[in-house]
Amino acid sequence: CAAPSSWPSLKNGVTCEPCAALVLTAPYGGRCDAYCSSFGHSCVAAAEEIADNCDVLYTKRCDEAITGTSDMLCTCRQDAAGSEPAGGGPG
């Protein structure tokens, strides 16, 4: 993944592990899949944290909204195709 410190919408600059960060839910409807795809990545995991840190309170699916909170922990990976558009194939 790209360095999490360079990801958009970080909350308090908190990053976790190699490819996860604490991010704001509002711009992305509480969904890590929407968040990760906003900068060309794919969601690997989604969670709610305990106290603005990397400690997981509960996990959700990437396409499941995390509600009732202003932030979420998203783990993203760079798409296998890099920055190439999805689709296509051998030709």
Side-chain angles (χ1 to χ4, degrees), residues 4-71:
S5 58
S6 71
W7 293 1
S9 304
L10 295 179
K11 177 156 184 205
N12 301 333
V14 175
T15 60
C16 315
E17 301 173 6
C19 292
L22 182 66
V23 303
L24 301 175
T25 53
Y28 309 97
R31 289 175 47 158
C32 283
D33 60 348
Y35 173 74
C36 295
S37 67
S38 76
F39 59 103
H41 282 50
S42 296
C43 178
V44 177
E48 166 62 317
E49 93 298 338
I50 294 172
D52 291 350
N53 56 24
C54 298
D55 297 332
V56 173
L57 180 62
Y58 60 83
T59 59
K60 292 270 195 175
R61 293 191 323 267
C62 284
D63 62 354
E64 210 174 357
I66 296 174
T67 58
T69 180
S70 64
D71 52 33

